[in-house]
Amino acid sequence: VQLQASGGGLVQPGGSLRLSCEASGFSLDYYHIAWFRQAPGKEREGVSCISNTGGSIYYGDSEKGRFTISRDNAKNMVYLQMHGLKPEDTAVYYCVAMGFCTVDSALADFRFWGQGTQVTVSS
């Protein structure tokens, strides 16, 4: 049972990246999937969450209008398209299987975490 995030990298401010989260060993159909991020010296922050059917989507306040989460259950994949990246978006991004969909770390029911992918926004 594994979640693997990929697609991170170095991008200039204002640039775009698409992160992917691939599940192996199990079907994503039953899980709500969230993206959380953590920057050095900062609290873990919820970025976005998509329900198992894709019918409900949530974003953190700083991500609304810039990030888009989506999923393809047939491919066992979840994606995070990020536009208008800012230096403050720099962090390790993790995809997480959740008991229910939320971007609030304090309320979250984390089931299991994937390995993260580093996103660095810098000129």
Side-chain angles (χ1 to χ4, degrees):
V1 174
Q2 189 175 7
L3 286 172
Q4 179 65 56
S6 62
L10 173 63
V11 63
Q12 292 188 341
S16 300
L17 282 174
R18 188 175 85 151
L19 305 185
S20 298
C21 176
E22 181 175 15
S24 58
F26 71 103
S27 174
L28 273 181
D29 295 29
Y30 302 107
Y31 290 96
H32 313 299
I33 301 294
W35 289 94
F36 278 76
R37 66 187 181 188
Q38 183 131 39
K42 294 186 178 180
E43 296 282 330
R44 180 174 56 202
E45 181 183 14
V47 175
S48 185
C49 187
I50 186 167
S51 64
N52 60 334
T53 63
S56 296
I57 288 175
Y58 305 90
Y59 295 101
D61 289 341
S62 64
E63 289 79 38
K64 289 177 183 176
R66 299 190 299 127
F67 293 5
T68 303
I69 193 170
S70 62
R71 66 190 297 156
D72 185 340
N73 285 348
K75 294 183 178 179
N76 238 17
M77 298 286 291
V78 173
Y79 305 99
L80 185 69
Q81 179 68 55
M82 305 186 293
H83 295 296
L85 284 162
K86 306 174 183 178
E88 50 265 43
D89 294 318
T90 296
V92 178
Y93 285 68
Y94 300 90
C95 55
V96 192
M98 309 284 284
F100 60 89
C101 223
T102 182
V103 293
D104 188 334
S105 293
L107 300 176
D109 174 16
F110 299 113
R111 297 299 172 90
F112 49 92
W113 291 72
Q115 292 189 350
T117 185
Q118 175 71 46
V119 172
T120 303
V121 185
S122 174
S123 55

